[in-house]
Amino acid sequence: MQVYLVGGAVRDHLLGHPYHEKDYVVVGATPQQMLADGFEPVGKDFPVFLHPKTKEEYALARTERKAGVGYHGFEFYTDPNVSLEEDLIRRDLTINAMAMDQDGQVYDPYHGQRDLELRLLRHVSDAFVEDPLRVLRIARFAARYHHLGFKVAPETLQLMQRLAESGELQALSAERVWKETSRALMEANAEVYFEVLRSCGALQVLFPEIDALFGIPQRPEYHPEIDCGIHTLMSLQQACQANYSLDVRFAVLVHDLGKALTPPAELPRHIMHEERGIQPVTQVCERLKVPTNTKQLALAVCKEHLKCHQAFNLKPGTLWRLLQRLDVLRRPERVEAFVQACECDARGRLGLENRAYPQAQYLLDAMQVVRSIKAQDLPRDIQGPDIGEMLIEQRILALAELKAAQPIQE
């Protein structure tokens, strides 16, 4: 029985990239031997075991054969005679098809180290096209290692295009698409994930609402980059650079979906794009089963982001109602996330990436003002429904004072 560290841990070890998860492959063993050594079985489709102490995953060496549609359409074969090379060839990329033994010796039958040096994401074999999830995984790797100069090999991109055209991507479950996308969104260059998906035609299949933004013009005086799709990815880049949360990054990604629905006669203006965006944002969230909190922030940013940009011009009562819709009293963190997303929108524009955005602090100050006014601060003779009315009145008055204290904005 021989044990090898495999996959991402070997890749990242050779790159000097931090990693936490370790996966192992076991050659020459049977399930009975693993159980006898105290390993706990967890695999359903093929034998995977947890180490009795470290709880790290140990999988028996296996081969696989395509037997159906989609990510789960495989039959697996495990046997003590399955070699390390046979196990590694079923993997997606050459840089993921390396193994390391307990002495630190690297086994690299498919030239992964060469592709690490060339900074190429290259498929191991034509069996790549049997698993549609690999399209998303390669796009995610492209985003993760973009800062190191990695690109998708042209021949691998062609296979990704074949998968996008085959109809296999539609067989992916919503959970798998969201899992890969949410992980990609948390990379430092999340925008690359969507660029790669677009370059192989997968964006149109999986995210048609985002794909539809490319080629839609905007007014150059507000958007020097002009293209709505480019603006969306520039805004997402801002969210990544600021290291904002997944909720903020997703909200930024979908904040302008309504612009794809602007009647051509109105272009390059986008009147009412906020309202038009509600339906496509809802569609994306429901199709991908996006978590509720993530969806709620996305809808709020879609519907209200222009009000954030216009914050200094809002009347105190209008500002209060905006904060109320954002659930300012119960969920101040949502107001903060909303402001962050709007700031990314304002800065995701060509040449305006470092522009000042004083609206952010103004809204945060407004949030603190309204939250500081509580029922116990009101006169004791105020009772019943009058309490709520007076709280609103006091909060709007406080917002009026805050507005009056602001310097005149250009």
Side-chain angles (χ1 to χ4, degrees):
M1 184 169 79
Q2 296 170 296
V3 177
Y4 300 91
L5 181 68
V6 293
V10 179
R11 175 197 69 226
D12 288 341
H13 169 75
L14 294 173
L15 278 173
H17 195 276
Y19 63 92
H20 305 289
E21 292 184 7
K22 294 181 180 180
D23 294 314
Y24 297 87
V25 67
V26 182
V27 177
T30 65
Q32 292 74 25
Q33 285 175 284
M34 300 295 287
L35 294 172
D37 286 343
F39 285 80
E40 304 169 29
V42 293
K44 293 180 180 179
D45 298 323
F46 49 84
V48 178
F49 301 84
L50 297 182
H51 190 281
K53 292 182 180 178
T54 67
K55 303 303 179 184
E56 292 170 333
E57 286 195 0
Y58 287 67
L60 296 187
R62 66 188 186 268
T63 60
E64 62 188 31
R65 182 176 68 87
K66 183 75 168 175
V69 177
Y71 172 68
H72 293 291
F74 291 91
E75 290 179 353
F76 298 96
Y77 171 73
T78 61
D79 185 272
N81 294 321
V82 175
S83 69
L84 178 63
E85 289 77 11
E86 287 175 313
D87 181 274
L88 293 176
I89 199 171
R90 68 182 176 78
R91 297 173 186 268
D92 51 6
L93 295 173
T94 59
I95 63 170
N96 295 332
M98 296 181 287
M100 183 186 293
D101 66 18
Q102 292 165 322
D103 296 324
Q105 181 176 343
V106 176
Y107 295 81
D108 181 18
Y110 305 108
H111 311 296
Q113 291 182 89
R114 178 198 63 191
D115 285 341
L116 283 181
E117 294 174 5
L118 293 174
R119 298 300 197 245
L120 275 181
L121 302 172
R122 193 198 311 268
H123 62 285
V124 178
S125 74
D126 285 347
F128 178 94
V129 297
E130 295 178 352
D131 184 357
L133 187 65
R134 288 175 170 175
V135 172
L136 297 178
R137 281 173 53 82
I138 275 56
R140 178 165 61 81
F141 284 132
R144 173 177 294 180
Y145 298 115
H146 175 76
H147 69 290
L148 296 176
F150 275 82
K151 304 289 184 186
V152 181
E155 61 269 32
T156 302
L157 195 63
Q158 287 180 352
L159 294 186
M160 293 167 69
Q161 288 171 333
R162 274 177 54 187
L163 272 169
E165 294 166 359
S166 71
E168 283 258 340
L169 291 178
Q170 288 91 324
L172 291 173
S173 69
E175 290 81 4
R176 295 300 308 188
V177 175
W178 174 247
K179 182 178 179 181
E180 289 296 323
T181 301
S182 60
R183 291 177 70 184
L185 281 169
M186 293 309 296
E187 300 291 354
N189 290 99
E191 74 283 354
V192 174
Y193 174 78
F194 298 96
E195 289 171 353
V196 171
L197 291 181
R198 183 166 179 257
S199 69
C200 71
L203 192 67
Q204 186 176 16
V205 176
L206 296 172
F207 304 94
E209 299 88 351
I210 298 171
D211 188 69
L213 290 171
F214 290 89
I216 302 296
Q218 302 172 100
R219 293 172 67 182
E221 63 267 37
Y222 297 114
H223 287 275
E225 73 288 347
I226 299 177
D227 189 284
C228 289
I230 293 173
H231 162 62
T232 292
L233 297 189
M234 290 183 71
S235 300
L236 178 57
Q237 196 172 37
Q238 289 289 318
C240 295
Q241 289 173 0
N243 199 26
Y244 287 148
S245 69
L246 172 64
D247 288 358
V248 171
R249 297 183 195 208
F250 180 73
V252 170
L253 176 69
V254 299
H255 79 280
D256 264 352
L257 293 188
K259 288 183 175 178
L261 302 177
T262 299
E266 294 181 12
L267 295 175
R269 303 177 71 199
H270 291 277
I271 302 166
M272 294 181 63
H273 75 272
E274 314 93 273
E275 289 81 1
R276 288 193 182 105
I278 297 299
Q279 182 181 357
V281 171
T282 302
Q283 278 176 199
V284 173
C285 291
E286 291 181 352
R287 187 173 68 247
L288 298 184
K289 300 182 181 178
V290 172
T292 300
N293 287 342
T294 310
K295 175 183 176 180
Q296 288 175 344
L297 179 66
L299 286 168
V301 173
C302 172
K303 190 174 182 180
E304 312 279 9
H305 63 273
L306 284 191
K307 291 187 178 66
C308 188
H309 300 335
Q310 300 161 353
F312 291 114
N313 297 323
L314 298 181
K315 294 179 180 178
T318 305
L319 180 56
W320 159 247
R321 287 186 289 276
L322 170 62
L323 292 170
Q324 215 176 11
R325 289 193 295 275
L326 294 172
D327 208 1
V328 62
L329 300 178
R330 294 186 304 170
R331 303 196 56 184
E333 70 279 2
R334 178 172 291 169
V335 179
E336 294 175 5
F338 169 79
V339 168
Q340 290 170 350
C342 294
E343 187 169 17
C344 293
D345 171 33
R347 290 180 171 163
R349 309 176 191 216
L350 189 63
L352 301 173
E353 294 87 349
N354 299 311
R355 75 192 301 187
Y357 192 71
Q359 296 93 323
Q361 191 57 52
Y362 181 52
L363 254 75
L364 296 178
D365 290 343
M367 175 182 75
Q368 295 300 335
V369 162
V370 300
R371 285 178 56 80
S372 69
I373 299 172
K374 299 183 168 79
Q376 57 262 38
D377 300 325
L378 300 179
R380 293 186 178 180
D381 59 342
I382 304 296
Q383 300 292 324
D386 293 340
I387 294 176
E389 291 181 14
M390 178 160 279
L391 278 172
I392 293 172
E393 183 180 314
Q394 292 296 316
R395 286 166 178 153
I396 292 175
L397 283 172
L399 289 175
E401 292 176 7
L402 178 68
K403 180 179 174 67
Q406 297 303 306
I408 297 174
Q409 300 296 322
E410 296 293 336

